[in-house]
């Protein structure tokens, strides 16, 4: 796809439409396309491999270029993807050894700069935070471990001071060292599917929060409450995220009464979903 073209994924998908129809009609296969990725589904492994090779030949004949090094042409139960090792046998996901090594090197270099009092830019702090947020996939609470880094970035970005430089702040050492400990442990995340028996839905306005609670055996529960004065003046993303723990505190007695262990929180705010996941 062409870089720096906002419509590139849409253009590519439209260009691939004829080929996707050809796959479904000629090979009678289930095929799913996401931007420049194609997922082929078939019930028999040997037949799938044979049909995949035929489709590759057809793609080449139509002028398409395939990066075979990035493709998975045979089914695997243990594979790596974007720095993660995914094990479908144990239904687990964890950081690959190479990614673990690179993250540890980044953290150690950052800690050296901070302890030496080097000059660092806000862009660099944001970049480091972005790389450390890689852990969110396996450590859901990781996004709550960096309040100091977020505060430093927010205080400067609110005035569009992205290019500001400052002495590397020592108050973020604890947060970075905690990430280093997490990476060393590298506990796999279980990705097996669960069936939630309770679904709380949260929402927030300028001055209050609300939630509904749906269960499989009981009627819908509804509750709302006001934000504290300090919470009201924060961003809408902050209020939406804050509505989640406030709601969970209120439904704790219901969860205990119904002996609920698994539940799924629903929200219409993308940042909130990213934070709690």
């Amino acid at each position: 796809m062409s870089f720096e073209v906002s419509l590139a994924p849409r253009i590519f998908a439209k260009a691939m439409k004829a080929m996707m129809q050809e796959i479904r009609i000629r090979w009678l296969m289930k095929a799913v396309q996401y931007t420049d990725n194609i997922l082929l589904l078939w019930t028999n492994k040997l037949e799938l491999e044979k049909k995949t090779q035929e489709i590759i030949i057809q793609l080449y004949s139509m002028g398409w270029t395939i990066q075979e090094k990035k493709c998975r042409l045979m089914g695997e139960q243990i594979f790596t993807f974007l720095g993660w090792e995914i094990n479908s046998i144990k239904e687990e996901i964890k950081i690959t050894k190479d990614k673990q090594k690179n993250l540890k090197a980044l953290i150690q270099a950052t800690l050296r700069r901070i302890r030496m009092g080097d000059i660092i830019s806000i862009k660099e702090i944001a970049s480091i935070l972005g790389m450390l947020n890689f852990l969110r996939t396996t450590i859901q609470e990781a996004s709550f471990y960096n309040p100091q880094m977020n505060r430093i970035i927010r205080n400067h970005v609110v005035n569009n001071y992205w290019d500001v430089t400052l002495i590397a702040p020592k108050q973020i050492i604890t947060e970075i060292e905690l990430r280093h400990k997490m990476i060393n442990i590298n506990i796999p995340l279980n990705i097996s599917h669960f069936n939630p028996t309770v679904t709380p839905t949260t929402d927030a306005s300028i001055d209050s929060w609300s939630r509904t609670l749906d269960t499989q055996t009981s009627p819908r529960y509804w509750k709302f409450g006001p934000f504290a004065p300090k919470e009201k003046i924060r961003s809408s993303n902050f209020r939406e995220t804050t509505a989640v723990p406030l709601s969970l505190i209120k439904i704790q007695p219901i969860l205990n009464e119904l002996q609920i262990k698994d539940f799924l929180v629903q929200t219409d705010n993308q940042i909130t979903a990213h934070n709690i996941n």
Side-chain angles (χ1 to χ4, degrees):
M1 292 188 294
S2 302
F3 292 101
E4 299 182 2
V5 178
S6 62
L7 294 177
R10 182 172 181 270
I11 295 170
F12 189 90
K14 288 178 72 68
M16 280 292 296
K17 186 175 181 179
M19 184 60 203
M20 296 301 294
Q21 291 177 340
E22 178 79 5
I23 292 173
R24 295 180 182 119
I25 295 172
R26 179 175 171 183
W27 286 278
L28 302 175
M29 296 186 68
K30 289 185 178 180
V32 180
Q33 180 196 359
Y34 179 74
T35 60
D36 58 346
N37 300 294
I38 300 175
L39 175 64
L40 302 175
L41 305 173
W42 193 250
T43 55
N44 184 284
K45 183 178 178 180
L46 294 177
E47 291 182 12
L48 174 61
E49 293 173 3
K50 179 182 178 182
K51 290 175 180 287
T52 300
Q53 293 301 323
E54 292 174 356
I55 291 170
I56 290 174
I57 294 172
Q58 180 67 14
L59 285 168
Y60 275 121
S61 69
M62 296 178 67
W64 291 98
T65 301
I66 301 174
Q67 293 287 348
E68 295 194 17
K69 291 183 179 179
K70 296 182 179 180
C71 295
R72 299 197 175 276
L73 304 180
M74 299 180 63
E76 297 177 351
Q77 292 180 303
I78 301 176
F79 59 93
T80 60
F81 179 73
L82 298 178
W84 297 105
E85 180 183 294
I86 302 172
N87 188 323
S88 63
I89 302 173
K90 297 181 178 180
E91 296 187 322
E92 290 180 345
I93 179 174
K94 67 177 182 178
I95 304 171
T96 63
K97 291 183 177 180
D98 287 342
K99 187 68 176 183
Q100 184 183 28
K101 180 180 177 181
N102 293 337
L103 286 173
K104 288 169 66 175
L106 169 69
I107 289 176
Q108 291 166 358
T110 302
L111 289 174
R112 280 196 299 270
R113 293 186 63 185
I114 295 173
R115 289 173 176 139
M116 293 176 63
D118 284 358
I119 300 297
I120 193 169
S121 70
I122 294 298
K123 280 185 178 180
E124 287 181 285
I125 296 177
S127 176
I128 293 168
L129 179 59
M131 292 181 183
L132 293 179
N133 280 341
F134 175 83
L135 297 173
R136 281 178 170 175
T137 301
T138 55
I139 306 172
Q140 284 82 0
E141 66 272 21
S143 57
F144 296 103
Y145 290 161
N146 44 42
Q148 293 292 342
M149 296 179 75
N150 279 324
R151 188 175 296 111
I152 291 169
I153 294 170
R154 184 174 60 250
N155 289 343
H156 289 84
V157 173
V158 71
N159 296 314
N160 294 320
Y161 293 154
W162 274 108
D163 296 321
V164 168
T165 57
L166 64 159
I167 297 175
K170 296 189 184 308
Q171 61 263 39
I172 67 176
I173 289 179
T174 302
E175 297 175 3
I176 296 177
E177 287 179 337
L178 181 58
R179 297 298 185 91
H180 189 265
K181 182 179 179 180
M182 293 178 182
I183 294 169
N184 273 330
I185 297 174
N186 195 14
I187 300 175
L189 172 70
N190 186 281
I191 54 176
S192 58
H193 178 71
F194 74 97
N195 184 27
T197 53
V198 169
T199 307
T201 303
T202 65
D203 202 359
S205 64
I206 295 177
D207 55 5
S208 63
W209 59 269
S210 67
R211 65 111 179 104
T212 57
L213 180 65
D214 294 315
T215 71
Q216 295 179 351
T217 57
S218 303
R220 168 173 288 193
Y221 297 90
W222 182 76
K223 187 74 176 178
F224 73 95
F227 283 120
K230 290 184 178 180
E231 295 170 338
K232 292 181 182 180
I233 63 175
R234 304 293 290 273
S235 68
S236 61
N237 289 333
F238 178 88
R239 292 193 298 271
E240 291 279 0
T241 302
T242 304
V244 175
L246 291 176
S247 300
L248 294 179
I249 290 172
K250 294 296 182 180
I251 67 173
Q252 185 65 45
I254 300 174
L255 297 179
N256 292 338
E257 179 184 348
L258 300 176
Q259 298 182 346
I260 301 299
K261 295 183 179 180
D262 297 324
F263 58 88
L264 176 67
V265 176
Q266 292 186 333
T267 175
D268 60 358
N269 184 273
Q270 185 177 7
I271 300 300
T272 299
H274 186 63
N275 285 335
I276 65 178
N277 287 326

